[in-house]
């Protein structure tokens, strides 16, 4: 039954591989259950109100579980979904200063609705299919560098520099137990993976997490050195969930409170970021999983994109910010996940965290970050599919790859690549090679990059 429903044999996978992949994706993305509440609770709305961390933790876990299970059964794809980091920043720092939290979450629900309409009408699929195959491979490579950088930064291996934008460690050198634990975990993971040890990534995360707990108990490590999660044995295993934020949204109140222009700009930013972040992640992770066909298209793409839009609405209705496909799904793919069965495992574990939220504090970044670095290295292998000797594709591909890690945004990389591809083809007079949708997408991205200038221009009027 599982084989027939999830097409296990057709995709060359097994139940065991899917379970391992689902577990690995969960461990790689579980940090969001702690990080999302910290980001949202760290901001105040226009009235000065703050959201409860306990309620946000429940909402984040519940929204992630529901969204991931929808992806499992409708999209049959190995994607975990949860509150998007870029999207929650827009809600916290762009929307909330101008409206109440309920009104900001109402815009998130509208963002999901717009994405559903784009998916159901087939427009989103057409846009994704209009992007050249070489750029899709470049997106995969860029995401690889991006998640590797996330892992290195979260572990403290790379930090903001004093005389340079970034540097090695917090002081220019590798110091401290968290970095040592991370380095051990990364080397262990690489060694196990190249030996083709089953569940290499998952085993390494578990072993490194246990080591982090041991180190933290024996050595006096400053709490902030570990990042969001301090590794320690939890005082209790079970805590009651608090559903106080469920349904606390105001669909159109933001337009009245902040004004039509400001609310529209926020909604536009949410839609654009959610649209292309998910698009880039879906393409990149699907490519890594071998789910992209010879035409560069992803099977069941329409269903996957629709679920992504529904997930945005789920996140807004539960006040956890917009949910979207998580790039950390690549960690599960690296462990063998190929179908929605892996997402069933991930979603079920996310649901369990509603009761076992204290366990979420066990896996620190030093233990989970090595998976992002290794998977980033594996995704870099897609660079061989980019025709670097073709200038028309090499320049857009380079900008796509470089700007994702350099600007800490998947959307920025996709936008720069699309604009550059359209410009290069037009400059060489090859207008027939530019799909008409790509012209529209390029103009949208131009507006996206110039959004502050446009807001100021029309705001004055």
């Amino acid at each position: 039954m599982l084989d027939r429903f999830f097409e296990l044999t057709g995709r060359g996978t097994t139940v065991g591989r899917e379970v391992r992949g689902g577990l690995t994706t969960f461990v790689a993305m579980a940090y969001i259950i702690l990080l999302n509440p910290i980001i949202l609770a760290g901001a105040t709305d226009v009235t000065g109100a703050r959201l409860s961390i306990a309620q946000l933790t429940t909402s984040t876990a519940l929204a992630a579980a529901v969204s991931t299970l929808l992806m499992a059964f409708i999209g049959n794809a190995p994607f975990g979904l949860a509150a998007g980091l870029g999207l929650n920043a827009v809600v916290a720092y762009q929307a909330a200063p101008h409206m109440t939290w309920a009104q900001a979450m109402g815009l998130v629900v509208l963002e999901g609705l717009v994405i559903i309409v784009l998916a159901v009408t087939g427009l989103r699929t057409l846009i994704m299919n209009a992007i050249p195959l070489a750029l899709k491979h470049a997106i995969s490579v860029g995401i690889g560098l991006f998640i590797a950088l996330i892992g290195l930064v979260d572990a403290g291996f790379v930090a903001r520099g004093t005389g340079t934008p970034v540097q090695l460690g917090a002081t220019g050198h590798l110091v401290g137990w968290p970095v040592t634990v991370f380095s051990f975990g990364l080397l262990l993971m690489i060694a196990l993976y190249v030996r083709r040890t089953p569940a290499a990534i998952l085993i390494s995360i578990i072993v490194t997490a246990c080591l982090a707990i041991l180190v933290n108990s024996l050595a006096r490590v400053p709490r902030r050195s570990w990042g969001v999660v301090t590794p320690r044995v939890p005082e209790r295993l079970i805590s009651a969930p608090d559903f106080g934020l469920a349904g606390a949204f105001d669909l159109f109140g933001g337009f009245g409170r902040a004004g039509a222009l400001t609310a529209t700009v926020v909604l536009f930013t949410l839609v654009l970021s959610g649209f292309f972040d998910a698009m880039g992640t879906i393409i990149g992770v699907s490519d890594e999983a071998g789910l992209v066909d010879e035409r560069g298209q992803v099977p069941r793409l329409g269903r996957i994109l629709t679920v992504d839009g529904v997930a945005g609405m789920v996140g807004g209705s539960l006040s956890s910010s917009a949910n979207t496909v998580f790039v950390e799904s690549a960690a599960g793919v690296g462990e063998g996940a190929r179908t929605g069965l892996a997402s069933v495992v991930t979603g079920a574990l996310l649901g369990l965290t509603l009761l076992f939220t204290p366990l979420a504090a066990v896996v620190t970044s030093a233990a989970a970050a090595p998976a992002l670095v290794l998977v980033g290295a594996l995704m870099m292998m897609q660079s061989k599919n980019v025709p670097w000797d073709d200038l028309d594709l090499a320049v857009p591909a380079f900008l796509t790859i470089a700007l994702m890690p350099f600007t800490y945004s998947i959307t920025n990389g996709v936008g720069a690549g699309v604009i550059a591809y359209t410009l290069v083809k037009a400059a060489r007079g090859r207008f027939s090679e530019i799909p008409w949708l790509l012209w529209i997408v390029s103009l949208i991205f131009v507006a996206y990059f110039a959004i502050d200038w446009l807001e100021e221009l029309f705001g004055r009027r």
Side-chain angles (χ1 to χ4, degrees):
M1 183 179 67
L2 289 175
D3 197 346
R4 289 196 304 270
F5 188 86
F6 291 108
E7 304 172 3
L8 301 180
T9 302
R11 298 192 185 182
T13 186
T14 64
V15 173
R17 289 176 63 184
E18 295 300 300
V19 171
R20 289 200 307 270
L23 279 167
T24 303
T25 296
F26 167 75
V27 172
M29 65 183 288
Y31 70 88
I32 194 63
I33 297 173
L34 292 173
L35 186 57
N36 187 55
I38 290 174
I39 292 174
L40 292 178
T44 58
D45 67 8
V46 68
T47 67
R50 290 183 184 272
L51 297 177
S52 161
I53 286 186
Q55 292 177 341
L56 283 170
T57 301
T58 297
S59 294
T60 301
L62 179 59
V66 171
S67 301
T68 301
L69 290 173
L70 287 174
M71 181 62 75
F73 292 110
I74 298 176
N76 191 21
F79 301 139
L81 292 87
L85 284 177
L87 296 172
N88 58 15
V90 173
V91 173
Y93 301 108
Q94 188 172 340
H98 302 287
M99 60 191 76
T100 67
W101 284 113
Q103 292 163 352
M105 295 303 171
L107 291 182
V108 174
V109 175
L110 289 176
E111 176 259 350
L113 181 60
V114 171
I115 288 180
I116 290 174
V117 172
L118 293 174
V120 171
T121 57
L123 183 59
R124 195 177 184 187
T125 302
L126 288 174
I127 292 173
M128 290 183 70
N129 291 338
I131 294 178
L133 182 58
L135 274 189
K136 291 178 180 177
H137 290 307
I139 289 171
S140 180
V141 176
I143 290 176
L145 285 176
F146 179 50
I147 65 174
L149 180 60
I150 290 174
L152 292 169
V153 171
D154 288 349
F157 199 92
V158 171
R160 186 188 302 273
T162 52
T164 57
V166 291
Q167 64 183 16
L168 186 67
T171 63
H173 304 281
L174 297 179
V175 294
W177 279 111
V179 174
T180 303
V181 171
F182 162 78
S183 301
F184 166 82
L186 180 59
L187 294 175
L188 173 63
M189 191 174 294
I190 292 172
L192 292 179
Y193 193 88
V194 297
R195 287 177 60 86
R196 302 189 181 277
T197 304
I201 295 176
L202 183 59
I203 291 172
S204 301
I205 291 175
I206 294 173
V207 171
T208 308
C210 293
L211 175 63
I213 293 173
L214 180 63
V215 168
N216 190 59
S217 64
L218 296 178
R220 294 182 177 180
V221 183
R223 184 174 180 178
R224 66 178 182 274
S225 300
W226 292 108
V228 176
V229 180
T230 301
R232 58 191 174 195
V233 177
E235 297 178 358
R236 54 178 179 169
L237 297 179
I238 299 176
S239 63
D242 187 341
F243 299 100
L245 290 177
F249 66 94
D250 181 350
L251 206 56
F252 299 105
F255 291 89
R257 183 77 183 228
L261 176 63
T262 299
T264 300
V265 168
V266 172
L267 180 59
F268 174 77
T269 305
L270 285 170
V271 170
L272 204 61
S273 297
F275 186 109
F276 287 102
D277 268 19
M279 186 197 75
T281 302
I282 291 168
I283 291 174
V285 177
S286 297
D287 197 14
E288 180 66 20
L291 299 179
V292 178
D293 62 24
E294 63 277 1
R295 296 176 298 170
Q297 299 182 5
V298 180
R300 296 195 182 204
L301 182 58
R303 292 187 180 187
I304 292 172
L305 296 177
T306 300
V307 172
D308 181 65
V310 173
M313 295 185 68
V314 169
S317 64
L318 293 175
S319 299
S320 73
S321 180
N323 280 17
T324 188
V325 176
F326 245 54
V327 71
E328 282 81 0
S329 303
V333 167
E335 197 57 70
R338 296 294 182 270
T339 74
L341 182 56
S343 296
V344 172
V345 176
T346 304
L349 291 171
L350 288 167
L352 281 176
T353 59
L354 287 169
L355 297 176
F356 298 95
T357 50
L359 290 178
V362 171
V363 182
T364 183
S365 297
L372 301 182
V373 177
L374 176 61
V375 171
L378 298 176
M379 294 182 73
M380 278 290 296
M381 295 172 66
Q382 297 294 336
S383 62
K384 67 178 183 293
N385 296 317
V386 178
W388 294 108
D389 56 348
D390 184 345
L391 197 60
D392 289 13
L393 296 171
V395 173
F398 167 76
L399 291 175
T400 299
I401 293 169
L403 288 184
M404 285 189 193
F406 290 167
T407 66
Y408 230 64
S409 168
I410 294 173
T411 301
N412 291 345
V414 175
V418 168
I419 292 173
Y421 176 84
T422 304
L423 176 64
V424 168
K425 288 294 185 182
R428 301 192 65 178
R430 299 179 175 177
F431 295 97
S432 62
E433 298 179 21
I434 308 174
W436 65 271
L437 265 178
L438 221 54
W439 284 105
I440 297 176
V441 173
S442 297
L443 290 175
I444 290 174
F445 269 121
V446 169
Y448 168 76
F449 287 121
I451 192 67
D452 287 341
W453 179 80
L454 291 174
E455 184 178 9
E456 181 180 353
L457 177 64
F458 289 104
R460 288 176 178 175
R461 295 182 180 180

